[in-house]
Amino acid sequence: MLDVKVVRENTSRVEESLRKRNYGLSILDRFLKIENERRELLRLIEEKRGRRNKISEEIAKLKKGKKDVVLILAEAKDISDFITEKEERLKVLEEEARQELLIIPNIPHKSVPAGKDETENVEIRKWSASGGVPKEFDFPPLNHWDIAAMHDIIDFDRASKIAGARFSLMKGMGARLERALMNFMLDLNTSKGYKEILPPILVNRESMTGTGQLPKFEMELFKTADPEFYLIPTAEVPVTNIHRDEILNEGDLPIYYTAYTPCFRREAGSYGKDTRGLIRQHQFNKVEIVKFVKPEDSYNELEKLTNDAEDILQRLGLPYRVIALCTGDLGFSAAKTYDLEVWLPGQQRYREISSCSNFEDFQARRANIRFKREGKKGTEFVHTLNGSALAIGRTVVAILENYQQKDGSVVIPEALREYMGVEVIR
RNA sequence: GGAGGGGUGGCCGAGCGGUUGAAGGCGACGGUCUUGAAAAUCGUUUCCCGAUUAUAUCGGGACGUGAGUUCGAAUCUCACCCCCUCCGCCA
């Protein structure tokens, strides 16, 4: 959520933001129209309420002095009725203004490259164990689903019997690899000072609104019927909401969390995409990092967060590149985002495996997460950040495809062997 | 699922429908005292919105949430949410 003051007093900045993101300007116009009426009405009501308070005090005094109050009581009643009537309208306006404000996206940071869509994202750097470019295979590399089938470690057919399309059933070494990665990532993150969290994966509407999934992206979420809960699409939701409606001390910051959770996504509107394999699932596992920091630190923290996610790929020896999302591809709540894309030999292309974002105070304002500076009056909103470290299913894909051998066996990356108990899947 | 109890400031805990934004205590911060500390003692200590001659002042709002009664609600009524205890059920 943007600061109402910024929207009102710095409207051109918001206009520019919407243009760069390929949004229409109509939401802004609608908001301003409602907001202006709301402010005007509020001023009137506050004036009348002030008058009513004065009169009520007067009545109390008169009654104490055993004086007659019939006349003044009539005036009080009139003002009170007037206020009640106007307040009804004010409530409607407040709700409408809030609804409009909640669907206005965050303003991109000035360092975010301008661009219309994902084709204009900017590559920042590339890494591989052999220095930059991924190594060539001396045989035609297979897709991960073919490799998985050879070892019977992922069963897509039975998964669709049990649940449906876009679900997977991990078996034997496949299940073990998934578990090994989860432990490896959590151990590495916690060793760097991230506190491990195991949060609820069903959350309420307020939490989804706090991080920005609602009200705009209801279609992308799974939801239970009775009682009503939303299934989290990322651990970002429960973990960021840990501090919803709290005022933190300056000394508490920064706060670093890491959490493993399953994630659930409807994937509505992506019917044709990635129908085979593990890339796009309704349910997948992910280890997430979430930070709460002081505003002046957040961009430095974004670089560190991204580096921490990269570190996992490097330790696993997986080639990747870092992409800065352009304004047209930037997510709704984010002010700046780096995507990490891992190289998949089976597809001969890079695929997203992590997304690291600074939300500045956008989520903090929605979720009302503030902090108090030592020796200063008042409160400020914290800045929140998060990033995948990493998406586990896609890491499985990357390991199977990058570590496949000519005979179909898969070598386990050095760093993972203590978790896997074997050196090769054959 | 059944029965009962409760939600007040950073925490504990008062609060006959009318100077109660809220007693008292703890904590925290500042002063006095002290070589220093402790003790003692005095003082300060919630947040949001708006106006403005703008670290001051003024107005409005907030005692789980929402509605109602009333000139006036932390205080009365209703609904909902959350927490606790007992019984039942359950991994």
Side-chain angles (χ1 to χ4, degrees):
Chain A
M1 187 160 66
L2 297 180
D3 186 349
V4 184
K5 258 187 223 157
V6 169
V7 181
R8 216 166 49 213
E9 293 163 16
N10 232 326
T11 309
S12 60
R13 261 189 82 201
V14 182
E15 277 176 7
E16 189 194 346
S17 159
L18 291 172
R19 243 191 300 272
K20 279 183 175 170
R21 283 177 172 272
N22 307 321
Y23 274 67
L25 296 182
S26 58
I27 31 170
L28 182 58
D29 294 339
R30 278 204 308 273
F31 171 76
L32 286 173
K33 189 161 174 284
I34 296 162
E35 172 63 11
N36 287 334
E37 191 185 340
R38 184 191 72 84
R39 276 167 59 83
E40 207 171 304
L41 187 60
L42 182 64
R43 214 186 315 253
L44 175 67
I45 288 175
E46 285 190 350
E47 187 194 314
K48 296 289 181 191
R49 283 207 280 230
R51 175 76 186 132
R52 181 184 63 188
N53 290 346
K54 284 258 154 49
I55 293 177
S56 286
E57 245 172 81
E58 197 64 26
I59 292 173
K61 269 186 212 151
L62 289 176
K63 280 201 165 175
K64 227 171 217 168
K66 305 269 195 242
K67 302 247 177 61
D68 184 45
V69 292
V70 175
L71 217 75
I72 196 164
L73 215 56
E75 189 191 353
K77 177 80 176 145
D78 279 353
I79 288 187
S80 211
D81 287 347
F82 180 85
I83 291 171
T84 306
E85 185 201 322
K86 294 295 178 192
E87 274 175 342
E88 271 173 47
R89 173 70 184 152
L90 181 69
K91 238 195 108 203
V92 172
L93 288 172
E94 278 174 347
E95 183 53 27
E96 283 179 4
R98 179 179 156 75
Q99 287 310 314
E100 295 298 338
L101 193 60
L102 280 174
I103 57 172
I104 297 176
N106 201 357
I107 298 173
H109 187 251
K110 58 181 186 297
S111 67
V112 173
K116 61 177 190 313
D117 56 35
E118 70 275 5
T119 61
E120 297 191 62
N121 291 341
V122 175
E123 183 179 302
I124 303 295
R125 57 185 170 268
K126 238 188 195 130
W127 183 92
S128 84
S130 47
V133 236
K135 73 171 172 51
E136 290 289 328
F137 282 73
D138 52 8
F139 59 92
L142 299 174
N143 268 305
H144 67 279
W145 56 79
D146 289 328
I147 301 166
M150 286 173 63
H151 303 289
D152 190 29
I153 56 175
I154 310 177
D155 190 336
F156 290 104
D157 295 338
R158 289 201 176 96
S160 78
K161 171 172 72 182
I162 300 165
R166 291 205 194 285
F167 285 92
S168 56
L169 175 67
M170 311 295 284
K171 299 174 9 186
M173 279 297 153
R176 177 133 191 163
L177 181 55
E178 194 91 13
R179 176 160 61 93
L181 282 167
M182 172 180 144
N183 284 327
F184 166 67
M185 291 174 192
L186 284 173
D187 285 349
L188 185 58
N189 290 343
T190 51
S191 77
K192 292 174 181 169
Y194 293 95
K195 178 181 261 188
E196 185 170 343
I197 302 287
L198 188 65
I201 58 178
L202 270 67
V203 302
N204 56 32
R205 208 185 156 79
E206 289 69 38
S207 292
M208 283 294 183
T209 306
T211 33
Q213 282 73 22
L214 289 179
K216 204 168 185 306
F217 305 102
E218 178 116 34
M219 288 307 295
E220 294 172 22
L221 299 169
F222 284 107
K223 183 177 166 182
T224 62
D226 185 22
E228 192 175 271
F229 287 110
Y230 291 88
L231 278 68
I232 60 167
T234 158
E236 160 193 350
V237 177
V239 177
T240 305
N241 276 282
I242 288 174
H243 296 297
R244 174 150 55 84
D245 292 322
E246 289 185 15
I247 300 174
L248 304 164
N249 295 315
E250 181 177 16
D252 297 336
L253 301 174
I255 296 172
Y256 298 152
Y257 291 134
T258 185
Y260 153 78
T261 68
C263 301
F264 304 90
R265 299 186 182 177
R266 289 272 296 276
E267 295 297 344
S270 63
Y271 297 114
K273 280 191 218 162
D274 304 309
T275 50
R276 293 201 72 182
L278 218 51
I279 291 288
R280 195 174 298 272
Q281 300 278 291
H282 284 312
Q283 175 186 339
F284 63 96
N285 294 314
K286 183 157 62 67
V287 171
E288 186 80 0
I289 281 174
V290 175
K291 292 184 173 186
F292 302 80
V293 307
K294 289 196 266 181
E296 62 270 28
D297 298 331
S298 69
Y299 279 93
N300 187 33
E301 292 281 1
L302 175 62
E303 298 300 322
K304 278 168 58 191
L305 191 160
T306 308
N307 289 340
D308 285 340
E310 286 176 72
D311 187 30
I312 297 172
L313 287 166
Q314 291 185 11
R315 284 169 191 256
L316 293 173
L318 296 169
Y320 69 89
R321 60 177 186 174
V322 181
I323 300 289
L325 296 194
C326 72
T327 53
D329 199 27
L330 198 63
F332 173 79
S333 301
K336 181 169 186 171
T337 298
Y338 292 118
D339 272 7
L340 267 47
E341 297 184 340
V342 70
W343 175 252
L344 298 183
Q347 298 190 8
Q348 288 293 302
R349 58 176 286 208
Y350 285 97
R351 292 303 301 259
E352 179 186 336
I353 195 166
S354 172
S355 195
C356 302
S357 302
N358 184 0
F359 302 91
E360 298 187 1
D361 62 7
F362 190 81
Q363 292 182 328
R365 184 169 281 111
R366 288 176 163 246
N368 195 27
I369 308 169
R370 292 169 293 170
F371 77 104
K372 203 182 188 73
R373 286 195 200 267
E374 222 116 324
K376 278 193 107 182
K377 276 192 95 171
T379 59
E380 289 175 55
F381 289 107
V382 301
H383 280 195
T384 60
L385 302 91
N386 67 58
S388 355
L390 302 164
I392 294 174
R394 290 188 179 184
T395 309
V396 168
V397 171
I399 288 172
L400 294 180
E401 294 195 9
N402 280 283
Y403 282 89
Q404 61 181 300
Q405 308 297 304
K406 201 166 185 175
D407 65 359
S409 63
V410 177
V411 173
I412 299 301
E414 196 76 47
L416 220 51
R417 287 184 192 166
E418 56 168 312
Y419 293 95
M420 278 298 281
V422 299
E423 292 182 16
V424 185
I425 298 174
R426 56 173 97 247

